[in-house]
Amino acid sequence: MAKVYIDGQEGTTGLKIMERFEGRNDIEIIRIDEDKRKDPAERARLINSADYVFLCLPDDASREAVSFVDNDHVRIIDASTAHRTNPEWAYGFPELSDEHRKKIQSSNRVAVPGCYASGFASVVYPIVKNGIIPDDYPVFAYATSGYSGAGKKAIAIYEGADKPFEFDSPRQYALSQQHKHLPEMQAVSGLKFKPMFNPMICDYFSGMVVSVPIQTRTLTKSITPQQVHQMYMEHYQNAKMVEVMPLMTIEEQKSFFLASNTLSGLNKLQVFVFGNDEQILLCARLDNLGKGASGAAVQCLNIMLGIDETTGLI
């Protein structure tokens, strides 16, 4: 039985990981006493007594926790942004390629993708890898997200009786183009330059859609939505957590609304291709707390354990 410790088990991601472990008898959860949650010595002791450690912490605390490891058998699954662009760490998105999956399986250090970055990479990585856009393409992305990923303070404001009027509206942020996911989005997708990114936090709990528009006239070779859709179908043909949705006709698209919250509570990601021969819109829909955080972390653990990656998730 694998011993698992969650450093940061009272945070949103840690709590959601705990939910996904309910009913499992193949792991033993190591718990820290409430009054010792911030005690470095006790955290270090528990980290080194575990087989697998989830880090659900701010970046600096995550780096500190890794420095505590003095036992070679401890395998770390980090849900912070601290190690996502470190080539020595496996990137925890197994559906991107066989290489990603194999590295997760064999590595002692796995960085769980960010929620926005998961949606972005799911549509951009394949179109760069397959030469549909060049690696120096000026990529732009926008996204809508529920407020659950904004932290406990923001959640309290959204759910409180004194919620400010402007919180009723979608709110754009990271306007300086320095969002913490940008380095990850660039590195993982194989882009030479950082994409522009326009995220919006909205008044619903969880779920998101990340959208990437492509103007086909800017490409060196012609491409159609049908060809892009077929490429995604082939790329994700064996994926259990990523689903390429059916291609709609222009008439079907006219009456269709793409909601951002329909995968809330689920551990899957959906890829959509919209538009026409001149303008193609690529969209990824996922739960920012599921495939975009805790669900992805548990999926990585399952792969590292060598069991069905959907265990506890579907």
Side-chain angles (χ1 to χ4, degrees):
M1 181 178 295
K3 294 182 178 180
V4 174
Y5 173 61
I6 302 172
D7 199 2
Q9 61 193 34
E10 297 302 319
T12 304
T13 300
L15 290 171
K16 290 294 181 180
I17 289 174
M18 291 291 287
E19 287 181 10
R20 286 161 171 81
F21 284 154
E22 291 179 2
R24 290 186 61 164
N25 57 13
D26 60 331
I27 59 174
E28 175 189 345
I29 303 296
I30 300 173
R31 298 180 183 273
I32 191 169
D33 292 339
E34 180 64 25
D35 61 345
K36 294 183 177 180
R37 285 196 300 114
K38 296 185 179 181
D39 181 339
E42 180 66 1
R43 289 171 54 216
R45 184 183 73 83
L46 295 179
I47 285 171
N48 286 289
S49 68
D51 300 307
Y52 297 86
V53 176
F54 290 91
L55 303 181
C56 305
L57 304 164
D59 287 1
D60 288 344
S62 176
R63 295 186 186 97
E64 179 188 49
V66 173
S67 73
F68 292 157
V69 178
D70 60 16
N71 190 328
D72 290 341
H73 82 267
V74 177
R75 305 182 77 182
I76 302 291
I77 303 171
D78 184 10
S80 78
T81 66
H83 301 100
R84 291 172 182 165
T85 59
N86 187 334
E88 296 181 1
W89 286 62
Y91 189 70
F93 197 150
E95 294 89 354
L96 287 185
S97 70
D98 289 341
E99 290 75 19
H100 283 86
R101 181 178 295 278
K102 290 175 182 177
K103 192 170 182 179
I104 294 167
Q105 197 167 28
S106 61
S107 180
N108 281 345
R109 301 290 182 266
V110 176
V112 179
C115 52
Y116 285 126
S118 293
F120 181 86
S122 71
V123 295
V124 176
Y125 176 91
I127 61 175
V128 174
K129 182 178 181 181
N130 288 278
I132 292 174
I133 65 170
D135 58 7
D136 62 352
Y137 190 83
V139 177
F140 167 70
Y142 60 93
T144 52
S145 175
Y147 58 78
S148 59
K152 287 187 175 181
K153 291 183 179 179
I155 292 173
I157 294 173
Y158 270 101
E159 297 182 349
D162 299 322
K163 183 180 68 175
F165 172 73
E166 60 266 25
F167 279 55
D168 292 334
S169 166
R171 295 184 299 139
Q172 301 183 48
Y173 69 105
L175 301 176
S176 66
Q177 290 303 303
Q178 294 177 314
H179 191 280
K180 64 180 182 179
H181 286 183
L182 279 172
E184 174 187 358
M185 293 160 72
Q186 176 190 353
V188 173
S189 300
L191 297 172
K192 284 186 176 179
F193 305 103
K194 290 180 182 178
M196 288 195 69
F197 182 46
N198 180 205
M200 289 164 269
I201 184 171
C202 308
D203 189 15
Y204 64 95
F205 183 69
S206 69
M208 62 171 44
V209 171
V210 181
S211 301
V212 177
I214 302 293
Q215 301 277 359
T216 60
R217 68 177 182 274
T218 64
L219 303 178
T220 56
K221 59 181 180 181
S222 62
I223 195 77
T224 66
Q226 291 78 12
Q227 291 171 314
V228 175
H229 184 265
Q230 181 60 33
M231 179 275 299
Y232 283 129
M233 290 290 291
E234 294 173 2
H235 188 87
Y236 291 116
Q237 60 182 332
N238 297 318
K240 296 182 179 180
M241 302 289 193
V242 177
E243 180 182 12
V244 180
M245 304 304 287
L247 188 66
M248 298 181 184
T249 66
I250 295 297
E251 289 302 313
E252 289 172 329
Q253 292 181 52
K254 287 180 180 179
S255 59
F256 180 73
F257 289 81
L258 184 61
S260 300
N261 63 348
T262 55
L263 294 183
S264 181
L266 302 178
N267 298 288
K268 63 188 298 184
L269 183 151
Q270 296 172 329
V271 172
F272 295 84
V273 179
F274 298 114
N276 52 59
D277 289 355
E278 288 76 40
Q279 297 172 315
I280 299 175
L281 180 63
L282 311 174
C283 299
R285 177 163 63 185
L286 66 155
D287 179 10
N288 50 296
L289 298 180
K291 182 60 174 164
S294 56
V298 173
Q299 182 184 4
C300 288
L301 172 69
N302 292 338
I303 292 172
M304 296 165 80
L305 286 169
I307 64 176
D308 186 336
E309 67 191 85
T310 66
T311 301
L313 296 176
I314 293 179

